[in-house]
Amino acid sequence: MARFGYTLMTEQAGPKELVRHAVRAEEVGFDFEVMSDHYSPWLTEQGHAPYAWSVLGAVAHATERVGLMTYVTCPTVRYHPAVVAQKAATIQILADGRFTLGLGSGESLNEHVVGEGWPSIDTRQDMLQEAVSIIRALLAGDLVSWKGEYFDVQSARIWDLPENPVPLALAMSGDKSVERFGPMADDLIAVQPDSDLVHQWKHVHGRAYGLAPAGRTIGQIPISWDPDRDTAIARAHQQFRWFGGGWSVNSELPTPASFSGATQFVRKEDVAESIPCGPDLDVIVEAVKAYTDAGFTDVALVQIGGDTQDRFFDEAAKPLLEALHVELG
């Protein structure tokens, strides 16, 4: 049965608001919650970027039922993988086993800030592969010393390990990344409803660690719900026009100003063609259906606009979830 999630988007709300949104999302019936891990918003208009891991700790205590997940953390430049492993173990304890560590190769927007440069895509994927090996060893409770091509670890051990192991979900986008990272992952993360990707993932899933075959496939889709469609389109254009650039572009731009310049010619109608906008819940259900038809087990929704969340919860979330479960569950 498909599961439907809510995105705690750190780029469009402050830390206290995100915790409050997490509680509301659980109350209205979302199955899980994912959180972005950013140092900067994509666009200045979004206006926020609190530290995701502090917020996750608060969310873990403020909620009881929903699954929690980073979507996604880059464990290679801004964070050392040994520190990521410790953070993940701590959140898993606070969440009583509800946490999944989502990992990816990152974006310049968030990683360049520590002054270490931004590697090529091939190097980033090499770094991610090495980081995952370190994280898995530490989360297994090993005393780890590691001298690799990119990372050194000296006599590291996680002293507070959760009873429930932390699942690792890895972001993948094509044949090469699935072949490389599928064997290392418990779960698949992807942002396109690609059935071929899911099919390939199922054949290579978890081989490197002898993982069980029933891994989750987790997608995400932005929506701009509003009683007025024109308002919804205008808001999506203002805050989410960056989305259409594709990951090969989005991973390379370093600042919100760069994204603003790169998207200055994106029209409102362009955004409305790619993002469900307005009050029609059937349109949203149809967009989500593309993911479930492709074999995704979990789909997280991003409601665009930090100041729209309360009205979304009050007026749209419950009937939308009911429609999703009836049509796609």
Side-chain angles (χ1 to χ4, degrees):
M1 185 168 62
R3 293 167 15 111
F4 304 105
Y6 173 79
T7 299
L8 295 160
M9 191 173 182
T10 59
E11 301 95 299
Q12 65 178 16
K16 289 186 176 181
E17 290 75 19
L18 288 165
V19 176
R20 187 169 57 81
H21 296 162
V23 173
R24 291 295 311 277
E26 182 175 66
E27 289 173 347
V28 300
F30 281 98
D31 300 307
F32 66 100
E33 300 176 8
V34 304
M35 178 177 286
S36 53
D37 185 357
H38 275 228
Y39 200 89
S40 300
W42 299 101
L43 294 166
T44 302
E45 290 89 342
Q46 292 175 324
H48 294 276
Y51 184 55
W53 290 89
S54 297
V55 179
L56 273 171
V59 168
H61 260 268
T63 58
E64 297 178 355
R65 174 187 56 81
V66 287
L68 302 175
M69 179 180 179
T70 51
Y71 202 97
V72 296
T73 289
C74 175
T76 59
V77 180
R78 184 167 41 121
Y79 304 138
H80 191 284
V83 177
V84 172
Q86 184 191 35
K87 293 192 289 190
T90 299
I91 293 294
Q92 184 69 307
I93 293 170
L94 292 172
D96 294 320
R98 293 180 284 132
F99 178 65
T100 296
L101 176 59
L103 299 172
S105 57
E107 305 95 17
S108 177
L109 177 70
N110 305 300
E111 307 307 316
H112 84 280
V113 296
V114 295
E116 295 295 325
W118 185 233
S120 69
I121 181 61
D122 289 340
T123 299
R124 298 199 302 266
Q125 293 197 345
D126 289 343
M127 294 174 75
L128 178 60
Q129 186 170 13
E130 188 173 321
V132 171
S133 297
I134 293 168
I135 290 168
R136 280 214 176 270
L138 286 165
L139 290 177
D142 297 342
L143 178 65
V144 176
S145 291
W146 178 286
K147 190 168 183 62
E149 185 174 356
Y150 300 102
F151 303 108
D152 289 346
V153 181
Q154 295 184 7
S155 302
R157 175 185 173 188
I158 295 175
W159 289 89
D160 288 280
L161 281 171
E163 292 183 7
N164 297 313
V166 180
L168 301 192
L170 297 185
M172 305 174 218
S173 59
D175 294 348
K176 290 182 179 179
S177 63
V178 172
E179 287 294 332
R180 185 170 198 176
F181 296 111
M184 307 181 75
D186 295 274
D187 303 320
L188 164 72
I189 294 171
V191 294
Q192 296 294 331
D194 186 339
S195 60
D196 291 338
L197 191 75
V198 173
H199 180 74
Q200 184 184 5
W201 147 254
K202 290 180 177 179
H203 282 280
V204 301
H205 161 259
R207 285 182 182 172
Y209 295 92
L211 302 176
R216 297 157 63 200
T217 48
I218 308 160
Q220 185 184 61
I221 180 172
I223 65 171
S224 185
W225 177 88
D226 195 277
D228 180 74
R229 187 168 187 268
D230 289 340
T231 299
I233 292 172
R235 184 174 65 241
H237 178 262
Q238 180 197 50
Q239 297 194 22
F240 241 77
R241 62 187 183 274
W242 62 272
F243 188 74
W247 226 248
S248 60
V249 174
N250 292 346
S251 63
E252 301 296 337
L253 299 178
T255 63
S258 302
F259 280 92
S260 181
T263 59
Q264 61 182 311
F265 299 116
V266 176
R267 304 168 301 170
K268 290 181 180 179
E269 52 265 40
D270 299 326
V271 173
E273 287 178 3
S274 61
I275 296 175
C277 295
D280 192 338
L281 300 184
D282 289 339
V283 173
I284 299 174
V285 171
E286 190 62 27
V288 175
K289 186 175 185 293
Y291 283 84
T292 58
D293 284 350
F296 282 77
T297 61
D298 300 58
V299 184
L301 307 181
V302 184
Q303 165 63 7
I304 297 172
D307 60 354
T308 72
Q309 305 304 306
D310 286 330
R311 191 170 188 182
F312 172 71
F313 290 133
D314 290 341
E315 300 180 24
K318 285 185 177 180
L320 174 57
L321 284 169
E322 181 179 351
L324 287 169
H325 283 294
V326 169
E327 297 294 329
L328 309 179

